[in-house]
Amino acid sequence: MKLTKQIVLKDISALPENYKTKDIDALISEYVRNKADASELRDYVLTEQWLHRIYYYVSLKQIKDVNERMAFIDRNLLFDDWWHTDQLINFVNKLPFETALRYAKKYIRNQDPFIRRWGYVLFISKLGRGHSAELLPLMHDDEHYYVQMGEAWLIAELAIDEPDKVWEWMKTNGLKYNINGKGIQKICDSFRITDDWKAKFKELRAAIKNN
C-alpha cells in the first residue's frame, strides 16, 4: 500500500469532526498493519505540518533495528517546528551511546535551529543517563529560544542522576545566563530532583548572573 496525500486526506475526512491525536494514532496503526509506504508524503512534511506525525511514525514503526531508525531520521531532518523532534526520542533510545553522540556532535553545529535542538533532546531518555561527562561539553551559547530550551531540558535530565557533576560544571561553564538560568528552572521544576539539590542550584543564580 503506497500512501499518498490524497489517501491520507480521504482517511482523515472520515474521522470525527473534532478528531484528536489518538484518532490519528489509530490511523497510523492501521497503516503500519497494512505495511504502508509513506515515502510519497515526504515532499509535504515542511509545507503541510499535519503530515509530520504520519510520515515519521508510519515509517519508523516499520523499522525494527534502532540503528536503521536513526539512519532514517538522519536522512529526514525535516524539522521546521520545535515539538516535532521531541516525538522521535523513544524511537532511538536504545541506540549505542557512542553512536548517538557522533550524530549529536554533527547536529549541534547545524544551521537549522530545530536540528541543533534535536542534537540535545536526543538524549532525553535512558540514552543520556550517566553520561554528563560526555554531554555537558556539548552545551554552547545559542541565540535560538528552542535550542536554549533543549539544552536546559538536557541539563535538568542529567541532574537527576548526577546532580553533583552538573552543579560543579555549572559553576564554571562560562555560558550566558539564558541557558544556565533556564537549566536551573528546569531542575527546580523536576519532580525527580531533591529539594536540597534544587536549593543548591538556586544559590548559583546570583553568581552566574555576575559572571
Side-chain angles (χ1 to χ4, degrees), residues 31-85:
Y31 292 150
V32 172
R33 282 194 299 274
N34 291 326
K35 298 182 178 179
D37 176 359
S39 58
E40 287 195 14
L41 302 181
R42 187 183 194 277
D43 292 340
Y44 303 101
V45 169
L46 289 176
T47 56
E48 301 183 50
Q49 293 187 2
W50 57 276
L51 286 170
H52 273 171
R53 192 178 186 87
I54 295 172
Y55 174 67
Y56 284 101
Y57 273 48
V58 170
S59 302
L60 288 167
K61 285 185 175 221
Q62 294 182 76
I63 302 173
K64 303 307 179 185
D65 181 80
V66 68
N67 289 285
E68 291 180 16
R69 284 180 172 177
M70 191 65 200
F72 174 87
I73 293 171
D74 190 57
R75 294 192 303 271
N76 291 273
L77 297 171
L78 308 172
F79 298 156
D80 196 25
D81 61 356
W82 68 268
W83 62 267
H84 189 80
T85 55

Side-chain angles (χ1 to χ4, degrees), residues 113-127:
F114 300 112
I115 294 175
R116 295 202 301 277
R117 176 183 168 88
W118 172 235
Y120 297 107
V121 303
L122 169 60
F123 297 99
I124 309 296
S125 69
K126 62 183 181 181
L127 179 55

Side-chain angles (χ1 to χ4, degrees), residues 87-99:
Q87 305 290 318
L88 303 180
I89 296 169
N90 289 332
F91 285 108
V92 292
N93 62 15
K94 294 182 180 179
L95 264 180
F97 177 77
E98 291 301 327
T99 300

Side-chain angles (χ1 to χ4, degrees), residues 93-154:
N93 62 15
K94 294 182 180 179
L95 264 180
F97 177 77
E98 291 301 327
T99 300
L101 188 62
R102 284 197 298 272
Y103 280 109
K105 286 179 177 179
K106 176 177 68 171
Y107 296 149
I108 64 171
R109 297 192 298 269
N110 197 280
Q111 292 298 308
D112 187 317
F114 300 112
I115 294 175
R116 295 202 301 277
R117 176 183 168 88
W118 172 235
Y120 297 107
V121 303
L122 169 60
F123 297 99
I124 309 296
S125 69
K126 62 183 181 181
L127 179 55
R129 302 275 168 77
H131 289 290
S132 63
E134 298 96 331
L135 295 175
L136 289 173
L138 299 184
M139 307 295 168
H140 66 276
D141 289 319
D142 195 297
E143 296 304 315
H144 197 280
Y145 174 79
Y146 289 121
V147 182
Q148 294 174 12
M149 293 307 295
E151 292 183 76
W153 190 8
L154 179 53

Side-chain angles (χ1 to χ4, degrees), residues 3 17 28 42 74 100 126 129 131 154 183 186 197 200 204:
L3 280 185
E17 184 177 351
I28 289 169
R42 187 183 194 277
D74 190 57
K126 62 183 181 181
R129 302 275 168 77
H131 289 290
L154 179 53
K186 284 282 189 184
W197 272 113
K200 290 191 72 171
L204 280 181

Side-chain angles (χ1 to χ4, degrees), residues 1 3 6-15 27 30-31:
M1 175 186 182
L3 280 185
Q6 290 71 30
I7 289 173
V8 176
L9 277 172
K10 181 181 177 182
D11 291 341
I12 287 180
S13 68
L15 295 177
L27 194 58
E30 182 180 344
Y31 292 150

